[in-house]
Amino acid sequence: MKLLSYIPVLVVGVLLLYAAKDFPEWGSPDAPASKSPVSSHFIANTGVDTEVPNMVTAVLADYRGFDTMFETVVVFIAGMAVLAILKNSGRKKLVKREFEVDAEPDLIVTNTVRLLVPVIQIFAFYVLAHGHVSPGGGFQGGVLMGASFILVALSWDLETALIRFPLNWTTILGGLGIFLYAGIGLLSMFLGGEFLDYSELANIFPVSREMARYHAMLGVEIGVGLTVTAIMFSLYANLSTEGRLQRGL
Amino acid sequence: MFEDGTIINELLIERLNYFIYVVLLLIGLHAMIAKKNLIKKLIGMSIFQTAIILFYVSIGVKEGSTIPVYLPEHDPHGSHSVPSDTNETSHFDHGPVILDSSLVKGYANPLPHVLMLTAIVVGVATLGLALALCQRIYQGYGTIEEDELLAKMESREIRSKTLSVQIPKDQKLPKKDELKKEKSRSVSKSKTLSASKPKPKGKK
Amino acid sequence: MENSIAWIFIFPLFGSVACAILGISNRKICYPIAVLSMAGSLWAGIETLRQVLSVNDHTVSYLFGGWTLDAYPRGVGIEFHADILGILITLVVLGVGLLVSLYSKLPVEEETPGKEPLFYTLFLLQVTGLAGICLTGDAFNLYVLIEVAALTGYGLIAIGSNRAAAATFNYLILGTIGASLYLLGVGYIYIKTGTLNMVGIHDIIVAEGLADSATMQVAFVLVGVGILIKMAFFPFHAWLPNAYSNAPTTTSCLLAPVVTKVMIYVMIRMVLSVFGVEFSFESTLWTDVLPWLVVVAIVCAAVMALAQREIKRMLSYLIVAEVGYMVGGVWIYNYYGLIGSIFHVISDACMTLCLFLGAGLILRKAKTTHFDGLRGLFTKMPLTMTGFFIGGFSIIGLPPTCGFFSKWYLITGGMVSQRWEYMIVLMFSTMVMVVLFFRMIERIHLAVSESGENLGHGHGDLGLTDQQTRFDEGPLSMLIPLLLASAVVLVVGIYNQEVVSLIEVFLSDFNLPRGEGIK
């Protein structure tokens, strides 16, 4: 049985290596992927189409914005599904673990975290807002933001963090993030374009069509950031306590 | 062995990334198929997905190119990111222009990076969900070893089947009691097991 | 309406967000939201079908973000590409979604108390993902939507019992392998063609003659195997019976009819529109090997189904066998086989829905789906059993149910390609299904328990008290969807020619062998 499991692995390996010798030359600018009209269009025209200097952000939030919307939905689904799986599932009573000691949160740790958390949160906003110009964006900013709450939960305990960010709020914020994203898409549809055609927003905001895309992308990224923040914290809170939401790690 | 044109040479020297990604992928695949511990399976899953990410990022490699963020001279907002110590701001003061094909070669292809951002997020979501499932399984059966889990599920199934056949429909209560008893028994068993083995859950 | 194709997923997407947020304060509101958004979505789907039928080449393409084809190169934005096949399957998905959402009120409240908002959120997103899979024209977007459908599926199954969670874990591991292999295959396509748009990929494969390149062939294998894993084709089917039979009632009603069928649709789409007929069927490896695998698959699944004594488990194995039918219909490679395959996707969705809705009602009333609990159910709940057995007769393939006509085309396809083994195995599994369902009827009418013990006292006596045989139908909110579903099975069967003519219009674009020489 043990040997049997090597067979599919070996078959896949031989297959993949067989194809690897047919790949285009390593790093060549003439490889189909680098030379294709799609890729060239992204590099040459992003500035003209959207005025965003960071092409990755432009492709992510605008050219392939529909993908990214569902990516955000995937994050939201993960949060909801974990909640669904773990809610009311296990023993309500807390079992004391073998190595657990009752102790107050450590003074040094908590005071360091007091100093750190605001910095992390400001940095999260920076990463989110600066995603147009430098690497960054909604997902990265959202994860940082979520991490700041997780840090609070780690250094005090989960209840303290849950007072600041109740679990119902994670669901609401996660939903609002998607609502914001899809809402911007829907609004641009009502204004006469296709779904997610941000340039139509120029009809109601005093900006050019390109800058409308630029600003709508920021709105979309904020939506992504909200969802990711909320769900990251919700995942931590549920997974660290088997869904009981008491005590935590 | 490393002359030009041989497959080994091609794979190990020119296309090391493609070789490494295959190796990583196989490690992940093997862990997912053959390991008995559910957490180990998940570790394999992460390795598997990371291998695919490595592959995609390797597609995006372009020699002599920089990251896909416009350099100051191509920046759609002109002087936006020019260092302040040069006095050539006016030189960069321009609106957005379409880059011509010689300049296009200077930037890496942004598309694989975007795709992988999506794949990473999907991977994180799947992992989170899978960990929740593991916890649920541990709560229910007191084990996350696949063979023990299967044995437990089977014994419970036989028990419930014999119960549901013998007991008329309006007398369901004994079955529940029995299940509860079984549950507590399995929990206590897992406790004795876990004393000898390190618990798989992360712990402070 | 111009944007109707976007409304198809806008309704359930916003509906799910509304369920998640409003459900916190008021749980009762989720059910109407789910039903309304499914109804809206179905309306948008019908509107899109009209739109597709009204244009000349029967395809509607919708570019998200306004990256139109005339101003930008193809593949810059994401395209929704609705042709007749895509929109037909979408309508099936949405129809199933609407009926199941109507049905779901009581089972969800009873089986997962306190989790209704989460359930409906996941439910609506599941439908969003499945409908998106049917319509998308972008290979990578397809991966994202497959994952949306898969993750919601894991959540929906594991929301129930511990046993369901254990079954879901296997589903998750296999599902992730499948989806990741598909993603890898898309990467292989991308490295050779430099585009992700399905139409664009096909054009480049044809223009540059990539059919012989090793990369593309491996890409085909990876995509194919990935999809076969996701659709629970025979050697990879292990996750399906456990997951579906342990899932909550509503979940299995939603997932069982559509998930595997949508993946078969993806396979057909990949074979016909992305890689192209010439590429896919040129190498005899697949056309030789797969039909034999199908033979093994159908035989094994049918025998396994025969061994089950529990309705939901038996139906799960039937699904595996049905998947074998449809995969076989594609890979025997001819016109009639493909018509049969596509028609069977539609009819199988309807009849599986029927069966699972019926099984849910039986479970609710008889408290068990084991065969021994079935005695006397025809007198107790005649309407439910009628609906259930209409689905059952359709699976067997009795006219005038739709199952008969789709099987007819499949067998014709086997004959045209002279695939006798496929035909024989179809006959064999039909016989197995006859045994399965008539054995159930026997169990209902006879007073003999599974172990052969006689429980009755003579002629016509089932050994049941009067109270146990009294007329006691299930609640209307569950009964009406079941009766509607069985009506659809009959209607699709009676109007089969209309459906087939639509499929023929779609297939006329492809150069498939029709076996004229044999006739």
Side-chain angles (χ1 to χ4, degrees), chain B residues 32-97:
Chain B
M32 285 166 92
I33 297 174
K35 291 290 172 200
K36 293 271 178 262
N37 188 304
L38 301 188
I39 299 289
K40 281 185 186 166
K41 276 178 189 265
L42 293 186
I43 294 171
M45 189 177 90
S46 285
I47 297 174
F48 190 75
Q49 286 171 335
T50 313
I52 293 174
I53 292 168
L54 177 63
F55 168 70
Y56 265 85
V57 172
S58 306
I59 302 177
V61 172
K62 205 197 266 185
E63 260 168 23
S65 64
T66 179
I67 58 166
V69 178
Y70 284 123
L71 294 170
E73 57 263 37
H74 305 138
D75 193 303
H77 296 286
S79 57
H80 189 76
S81 52
V82 175
S84 55
D85 50 319
T86 58
N87 288 326
E88 293 177 277
T89 11
S90 57
H91 175 72
F92 294 128
D93 200 12
H94 58 75
V97 285

XYZ file of all heavy atoms in Angstrom, chain B residues 32-97:
510
model
N 0.059 14.288 0.508
C -1.404 14.310 0.509
C -1.980 12.915 0.321
O -3.026 12.590 0.859
C -1.924 15.212 -0.612
C -1.785 16.670 -0.315
S -2.030 17.643 -1.778
C -3.747 17.975 -1.668
N -1.296 12.101 -0.485
C -1.857 10.777 -0.764
C -1.508 9.791 0.340
O -2.354 9.040 0.802
C -1.343 10.248 -2.118
C -1.829 11.163 -3.232
C -1.827 8.847 -2.368
C -1.259 10.814 -4.568
N -0.232 9.788 0.782
C 0.251 8.657 1.567
C 0.261 8.893 3.069
O 0.234 7.930 3.827
C 1.643 8.270 1.102
N 0.336 10.134 3.529
C 0.452 10.352 4.974
C -0.861 10.036 5.668
O -1.939 10.287 5.134
C 0.853 11.804 5.254
C 2.266 12.127 4.825
C 3.277 11.440 5.695
C 4.659 11.630 5.104
N 5.622 10.650 5.580
N -0.753 9.521 6.883
C -1.962 9.144 7.601
C -2.477 10.268 8.489
O -3.641 10.304 8.842
C -1.685 7.902 8.471
C -1.415 6.676 7.644
C -2.702 5.941 7.319
C -2.439 4.733 6.452
N -2.686 5.006 5.043
N -1.580 11.147 8.869
C -1.977 12.229 9.773
C -2.623 13.357 8.971
O -2.079 13.803 7.969
C -0.731 12.727 10.506
C -1.076 13.710 11.585
O -1.709 14.718 11.307
N -0.689 13.424 12.803
N -3.790 13.816 9.439
C -4.511 14.809 8.652
C -3.734 16.115 8.537
O -3.746 16.769 7.502
C -5.889 15.070 9.273
C -6.817 13.873 9.405
C -8.187 14.324 9.852
C -6.931 13.123 8.108
N -3.045 16.508 9.624
C -2.286 17.755 9.571
C -1.131 17.624 8.585
O -0.814 18.559 7.839
C -1.756 18.116 10.976
C -2.916 18.313 11.950
C -0.918 19.365 10.925
C -3.709 19.544 11.726
N -0.526 16.443 8.548
C 0.555 16.244 7.578
C 0.022 16.349 6.156
O 0.682 16.875 5.270
C 1.222 14.894 7.796
C 2.190 14.896 8.954
C 2.911 13.576 9.056
C 3.757 13.547 10.314
N 4.201 12.194 10.631
N -1.183 15.845 5.969
C -1.796 15.988 4.649
C -1.932 17.458 4.278
O -1.681 17.861 3.141
C -3.185 15.351 4.635
C -3.193 13.868 4.388
C -4.616 13.379 4.461
C -4.697 11.887 4.442
N -4.928 11.330 3.122
N -2.328 18.262 5.277
C -2.509 19.684 4.996
C -1.178 20.351 4.698
O -1.087 21.241 3.846
C -3.185 20.374 6.172
C -4.620 19.954 6.408
C -5.226 20.795 7.491
C -5.401 20.099 5.139
N -0.128 19.920 5.413
C 1.196 20.474 5.123
C 1.563 20.141 3.675
O 2.046 20.987 2.919
C 2.232 19.916 6.105
C 1.930 20.420 7.508
C 3.637 20.327 5.695
C 2.755 19.782 8.584
N 1.272 18.880 3.292
C 1.511 18.492 1.909
C 0.737 19.358 0.941
O 1.250 19.780 -0.092
N -0.505 19.656 1.296
C -1.331 20.496 0.429
C -0.704 21.873 0.242
O -0.659 22.397 -0.872
C -2.719 20.623 1.045
C -3.744 21.272 0.176
S -5.338 21.276 0.987
C -5.276 22.815 1.863
N -0.191 22.427 1.338
C 0.447 23.744 1.230
C 1.673 23.681 0.331
O 1.898 24.578 -0.489
C 0.841 24.257 2.609
O -0.297 24.675 3.280
N 2.473 22.621 0.494
C 3.666 22.497 -0.349
C 3.258 22.382 -1.813
O 3.840 23.013 -2.696
C 4.506 21.278 0.082
C 5.000 21.464 1.508
C 5.682 21.075 -0.842
C 5.711 20.259 2.050
N 2.225 21.587 -2.040
C 1.719 21.389 -3.395
C 1.342 22.720 -4.040
O 1.736 23.036 -5.162
C 0.496 20.477 -3.280
C -0.049 19.953 -4.568
C 0.599 18.940 -5.247
C -1.227 20.452 -5.082
C 0.085 18.439 -6.419
C -1.755 19.946 -6.256
C -1.093 18.940 -6.923
N 0.591 23.522 -3.276
C 0.150 24.793 -3.846
C 1.316 25.751 -4.025
O 1.368 26.502 -4.997
C -0.927 25.408 -2.955
C -2.244 24.671 -3.102
C -3.261 25.100 -2.095
O -2.921 25.582 -1.019
N -4.523 24.908 -2.422
N 2.258 25.706 -3.085
C 3.417 26.585 -3.220
C 4.212 26.236 -4.472
O 4.733 27.124 -5.153
C 4.319 26.454 -1.980
O 3.498 26.535 -0.839
C 5.337 27.552 -1.959
N 4.306 24.928 -4.772
C 5.037 24.518 -5.963
C 4.409 25.133 -7.206
O 5.106 25.620 -8.101
C 5.033 22.996 -6.064
N 3.067 25.131 -7.232
C 2.403 25.705 -8.404
C 2.666 27.203 -8.479
O 2.871 27.760 -9.554
C 0.903 25.392 -8.345
C 0.709 23.894 -8.501
C 0.156 26.117 -9.439
C -0.694 23.441 -8.330
N 2.698 27.850 -7.317
C 2.988 29.288 -7.309
C 4.384 29.531 -7.862
O 4.608 30.440 -8.674
C 2.829 29.844 -5.883
C 1.364 29.803 -5.484
C 3.364 31.254 -5.799
C 1.115 30.058 -4.040
N 5.338 28.690 -7.447
C 6.707 28.832 -7.961
C 6.716 28.695 -9.476
O 7.391 29.453 -10.186
C 7.606 27.776 -7.323
C 9.048 27.760 -7.818
C 9.739 29.054 -7.484
C 9.805 26.593 -7.234
N 5.941 27.755 -9.980
C 5.888 27.552 -11.421
C 5.373 28.796 -12.124
O 5.966 29.282 -13.095
C 5.004 26.354 -11.740
C 4.656 26.225 -13.189
C 5.627 25.872 -14.112
C 3.374 26.475 -13.636
C 5.316 25.761 -15.446
C 3.059 26.366 -14.972
C 4.034 26.015 -15.881
N 4.273 29.346 -11.612
C 3.698 30.516 -12.274
C 4.653 31.697 -12.233
O 4.807 32.425 -13.215
C 2.379 30.906 -11.608
C 1.169 30.329 -12.279
C 0.729 29.059 -11.978
C 0.468 31.042 -13.217
C -0.381 28.522 -12.587
C -0.633 30.524 -13.844
C -1.062 29.260 -13.513
O -2.160 28.736 -14.128
N 5.272 31.894 -11.080
C 6.179 33.035 -10.976
C 7.350 32.849 -11.940
O 7.851 33.808 -12.517
C 6.642 33.207 -9.518
C 7.719 34.252 -9.416
C 5.481 33.591 -8.657
N 7.759 31.563 -12.143
C 8.841 31.319 -13.088
C 8.437 31.698 -14.512
O 9.283 32.092 -15.306
C 9.246 29.847 -13.065
O 9.538 29.454 -11.761
N 7.147 31.573 -14.823
C 6.717 31.994 -16.166
C 6.969 33.479 -16.352
O 7.321 33.931 -17.427
C 5.208 31.721 -16.370
C 4.884 30.263 -16.165
C 4.773 32.155 -17.757
C 3.403 29.971 -16.293
N 6.794 34.221 -15.249
C 6.891 35.674 -15.367
C 8.305 36.200 -15.491
O 8.507 37.388 -15.692
N 9.304 35.313 -15.366
C 10.692 35.793 -15.415
C 11.024 36.296 -16.813
O 10.695 35.672 -17.807
C 11.652 34.648 -15.036
C 13.083 35.070 -15.273
C 11.450 34.259 -13.602
N 11.638 37.467 -16.853
C 12.068 38.024 -18.128
C 13.442 38.626 -17.894
O 13.608 39.438 -16.976
C 11.081 39.103 -18.548
C 11.021 39.355 -20.042
C 10.371 40.676 -20.308
C 8.892 40.565 -20.566
N 8.304 41.879 -20.935
N 14.406 38.227 -18.689
C 15.764 38.718 -18.458
C 15.847 40.218 -18.701
O 15.271 40.741 -19.650
C 16.736 37.975 -19.369
C 17.469 36.869 -18.624
C 18.198 35.944 -19.556
O 18.508 36.380 -20.677
O 18.441 34.790 -19.173
N 16.609 40.903 -17.836
C 16.835 42.331 -18.022
C 15.617 43.184 -17.772
O 15.519 44.285 -18.299
N 14.689 42.680 -16.982
C 13.502 43.494 -16.729
C 13.424 43.841 -15.250
O 14.055 43.207 -14.406
C 12.247 42.735 -17.133
O 12.114 41.599 -16.313
N 12.630 44.862 -14.951
C 12.449 45.264 -13.562
C 11.031 44.922 -13.134
O 10.256 44.362 -13.903
C 12.729 46.768 -13.408
O 12.521 47.119 -12.053
C 11.780 47.577 -14.272
N 10.705 45.222 -11.867
C 9.368 44.881 -11.377
C 8.310 45.669 -12.147
O 8.593 46.755 -12.668
C 9.220 45.164 -9.873
C 9.518 46.627 -9.584
C 10.079 44.248 -9.063
C 9.092 47.059 -8.229
N 7.098 45.131 -12.213
C 6.082 45.807 -13.020
C 5.472 47.038 -12.343
O 4.280 47.127 -12.153
C 5.037 44.713 -13.256
C 5.260 43.708 -12.212
C 6.650 43.806 -11.761
N 6.337 47.973 -11.944
C 5.867 49.273 -11.478
C 6.614 50.290 -12.319
O 7.830 50.175 -12.470
C 6.187 49.492 -9.986
C 5.726 50.855 -9.548
C 5.539 48.423 -9.138
N 5.892 51.269 -12.869
C 6.539 52.195 -13.796
C 7.702 52.938 -13.153
O 7.609 53.429 -12.020
C 5.536 53.217 -14.324
C 4.611 52.650 -15.360
C 3.241 52.700 -15.185
C 5.109 52.068 -16.520
C 2.385 52.171 -16.130
C 4.262 51.543 -17.468
C 2.904 51.595 -17.267
O 2.067 51.067 -18.200
N 8.809 53.030 -13.868
C 9.936 53.852 -13.428
C 9.519 55.321 -13.498
O 8.574 55.662 -14.209
C 11.131 53.596 -14.350
C 11.719 52.186 -14.281
C 12.717 51.994 -15.393
C 12.355 51.942 -12.937
N 10.231 56.189 -12.785
C 9.813 57.593 -12.766
C 9.635 58.182 -14.164
O 8.717 58.974 -14.389
C 10.965 58.275 -12.033
C 11.540 57.226 -11.178
C 11.341 55.931 -11.872
N 10.483 57.767 -15.119
C 10.359 58.412 -16.432
C 9.124 57.945 -17.208
O 8.750 58.572 -18.182
C 11.634 58.192 -17.258
C 12.016 56.742 -17.472
C 13.070 56.287 -16.467
O 12.983 56.723 -15.309
O 13.965 55.509 -16.848
N 8.513 56.851 -16.761
C 7.290 56.404 -17.442
C 6.049 56.620 -16.597
O 4.950 56.250 -17.000
C 7.388 54.922 -17.800
C 8.593 54.573 -18.598
N 9.342 53.450 -18.368
C 9.184 55.222 -19.618
C 10.359 53.416 -19.206
N 10.283 54.482 -19.973
N 6.248 57.186 -15.421
C 5.141 57.315 -14.486
C 4.017 58.147 -15.091
O 4.258 59.223 -15.628
C 5.654 57.986 -13.201
C 4.651 57.860 -12.092
O 3.503 58.302 -12.291
O 5.006 57.313 -11.039
N 2.776 57.645 -15.046
C 1.684 58.411 -15.640
C 1.498 59.778 -15.012
O 0.935 60.668 -15.635
C 0.461 57.530 -15.409
C 0.904 56.312 -14.757
C 2.363 56.345 -14.548
N 1.955 59.929 -13.762
C 1.790 61.236 -13.123
C 3.080 62.007 -13.109
O 3.335 62.803 -12.215
C 1.241 61.059 -11.710
C -0.109 60.471 -11.709
N -1.221 61.184 -12.079
C -0.539 59.217 -11.453
C -2.272 60.397 -12.017
N -1.884 59.199 -11.656
N 3.940 61.754 -14.065
C 5.147 62.544 -14.229
C 6.036 62.536 -13.023
O 6.539 61.497 -12.610
N 6.162 63.673 -12.390
C 7.181 63.869 -11.367
C 6.881 63.142 -10.071
O 7.603 63.291 -9.100
C 7.298 65.358 -11.078
O 6.039 65.841 -10.689
N 5.814 62.392 -10.050
C 5.302 61.808 -8.812
C 6.375 61.216 -7.895
O 6.445 61.535 -6.725
C 4.300 60.717 -9.185
C 3.565 60.191 -8.016
N 2.560 60.878 -7.418
C 3.706 59.034 -7.335
C 2.096 60.173 -6.413
N 2.769 59.054 -6.340
N 7.259 60.374 -8.431
C 8.167 59.675 -7.530
C 9.629 59.985 -7.839
O 10.485 59.138 -7.715
C 7.912 58.174 -7.612
O 7.941 57.776 -8.956
N 9.905 61.184 -8.257
C 11.283 61.551 -8.561
C 12.001 61.919 -7.264
O 11.453 62.628 -6.434
C 11.302 62.743 -9.519
C 12.724 63.204 -9.752
C 10.652 62.370 -10.815
N 13.193 61.412 -7.055
C 13.933 61.799 -5.856
C 14.152 63.316 -5.830
O 14.352 63.945 -6.874
C 15.251 61.056 -5.993
C 15.134 60.162 -7.158
C 13.922 60.488 -7.903
N 14.137 63.894 -4.644
C 14.119 65.349 -4.561
C 15.486 65.976 -4.834
O 15.561 67.152 -5.158
C 13.634 65.775 -3.176
O 14.460 65.145 -2.210
N 16.554 65.196 -4.734
C 17.856 65.842 -4.882
C 18.206 66.117 -6.344
O 19.117 66.887 -6.629
C 18.963 64.998 -4.217
C 18.905 63.561 -4.659
O 17.777 63.035 -4.756
O 19.960 62.963 -4.926
N 17.524 65.501 -7.286
C 17.791 65.883 -8.679
C 16.879 67.038 -9.042
O 15.728 67.112 -8.614
C 17.505 64.719 -9.628
O 16.145 64.353 -9.440
C 18.413 63.540 -9.363
N 17.398 67.944 -9.835
C 16.604 69.116 -10.177
C 15.960 68.983 -11.553
O 15.700 69.963 -12.225
C 17.497 70.365 -10.153
C 17.856 70.723 -8.734
O 17.055 70.521 -7.829
N 19.065 71.221 -8.534
N 15.720 67.734 -11.944
C 15.230 67.536 -13.300
C 13.748 67.253 -13.335
O 13.256 66.598 -14.231
C 16.000 66.380 -13.949
C 17.464 66.706 -14.165
C 18.206 65.513 -14.738
O 18.611 64.625 -13.973
O 18.344 65.480 -15.964
N 13.030 67.746 -12.359
C 11.598 67.454 -12.292
C 10.904 67.824 -13.590
O 10.027 67.111 -14.053
C 10.947 68.246 -11.154
O 11.867 69.194 -10.681
C 10.514 67.320 -10.070
N 11.264 68.934 -14.154
C 10.556 69.388 -15.345
C 10.734 68.395 -16.497
O 9.843 68.213 -17.307
C 11.080 70.755 -15.786
O 12.476 70.652 -16.007
N 11.862 67.728 -16.467
C 12.137 66.755 -17.523
C 11.117 65.614 -17.484
O 10.751 65.052 -18.515
C 13.562 66.211 -17.322
C 13.919 65.112 -18.270
N 14.149 65.340 -19.617
C 14.069 63.793 -18.090
C 14.431 64.194 -20.204
N 14.399 63.239 -19.310
N 10.703 65.275 -16.281
C 9.783 64.140 -16.135
C 8.335 64.578 -16.155
O 7.446 63.796 -15.910
C 10.064 63.404 -14.823
C 11.400 62.751 -14.816
C 12.289 62.970 -13.772
C 11.775 61.929 -15.866
C 13.513 62.353 -13.762
C 13.007 61.327 -15.851
C 13.884 61.532 -14.797
N 8.098 65.823 -16.409
C 6.742 66.335 -16.277
C 5.948 66.029 -17.542
O 6.003 66.769 -18.522
C 6.809 67.850 -16.042
C 5.527 68.339 -15.428
O 4.742 67.469 -14.993
O 5.314 69.544 -15.398
N 5.233 64.919 -17.493
C 4.478 64.541 -18.694
C 3.245 63.778 -18.268
O 3.140 63.300 -17.147
C 5.347 63.680 -19.604
C 5.844 62.439 -18.916
N 5.021 61.364 -18.670
C 7.055 62.121 -18.401
C 5.711 60.432 -18.045
N 6.946 60.867 -17.854
N 2.317 63.661 -19.167
C 1.131 62.848 -18.907
C 1.427 61.399 -19.235
O 2.549 61.061 -19.620
N 0.424 60.549 -19.104
C 0.648 59.153 -19.453
C 0.854 58.958 -20.950
O 0.218 59.618 -21.762
C -0.664 58.490 -19.000
C -1.653 59.575 -18.894
C -0.907 60.815 -18.588
N 1.783 58.082 -21.288
C 2.025 57.769 -22.698
C 2.004 56.251 -22.856
O 2.243 55.510 -21.914
C 3.402 58.293 -23.170
C 3.375 59.782 -23.348
C 4.495 57.867 -22.218
